[in-house]
Amino acid sequence: MKTGGRIEAFKDLNGDPMGPMRVWVQNEDVPGLAMSRSLGDKVAQSVGVLPDPEILDYTLTPHDQFILIASDGVWEFMSNVDVARLVYPYVEKNAPEAAANVLVKEATKTWKKEEEVIDDIT
């Protein structure tokens, strides 16, 4: 890459690629991001990862009951419907912290079924 980085998958102990393609510093195994944007990450920015967020506008309606914001690791193996079904009982109880806790536990469990490593699930 012209910004001094490289794009390749993480490598296991045998040197075999695993997981998605990631952005790395040319001669170091950092930051290892599998995304095109990262807020506040100066190392990632130095190798071409954009610091500017992607912003979308949505008009909320009276039918919208909650907004859930989560990192990419939550969405890797869980669909919007899966997540909504999981957290909705806690929305009804006005228990956002409990909803977040159950979501982190389920995302962790789902990652462990699919991969040896777990991405950020905040």
Side-chain angles (χ1 to χ4, degrees), residues 65-66 85 87-96 99:
Q65 298 181 12
F66 63 93
R85 285 185 180 144
V87 302
Y88 187 72
Y90 301 94
V91 171
E92 288 183 310
K93 297 175 188 174
N94 194 26

Side-chain angles (χ1 to χ4, degrees), residues 38-101:
S38 182
L39 303 177
D41 190 330
K42 297 290 186 186
V43 173
Q45 186 177 352
S46 75
V47 292
V49 177
L50 301 174
D52 306 314
E54 180 178 348
I55 299 173
L56 304 172
D57 282 327
Y58 292 96
T59 301
L60 298 178
T61 71
H63 300 288
D64 296 315
Q65 298 181 12
F66 63 93
I67 297 172
L68 193 140
I69 300 171
S71 65
D72 65 311
V74 169
W75 307 111
E76 183 75 23
F77 300 114
M78 298 180 74
S79 71
N80 290 347
V81 171
D82 293 336
V83 171
R85 285 185 180 144
L86 186 67
V87 302
Y88 187 72
Y90 301 94
V91 171
E92 288 183 310
K93 297 175 188 174
N94 194 26
E97 189 172 338
N101 288 336

Side-chain angles (χ1 to χ4, degrees), residues 77 105-119 121:
F77 300 114
K105 286 179 185 173
E106 185 64 24
T108 300
K109 186 170 84 174
T110 305
W111 265 92
K112 287 180 179 179
K113 288 180 192 173
E114 301 289 337
E115 300 277 342
E116 293 180 23
V117 294
I118 297 175
D119 200 353
I121 52 173

Side-chain angles (χ1 to χ4, degrees), residues 6-12 15-24 29:
R6 61 187 161 91
I7 298 175
E8 61 186 37
F10 178 81
K11 293 192 172 125
D12 66 15
D16 297 322
M18 60 184 273
M21 299 300 276
R22 296 176 176 274
V23 178
W24 306 91
D29 287 339

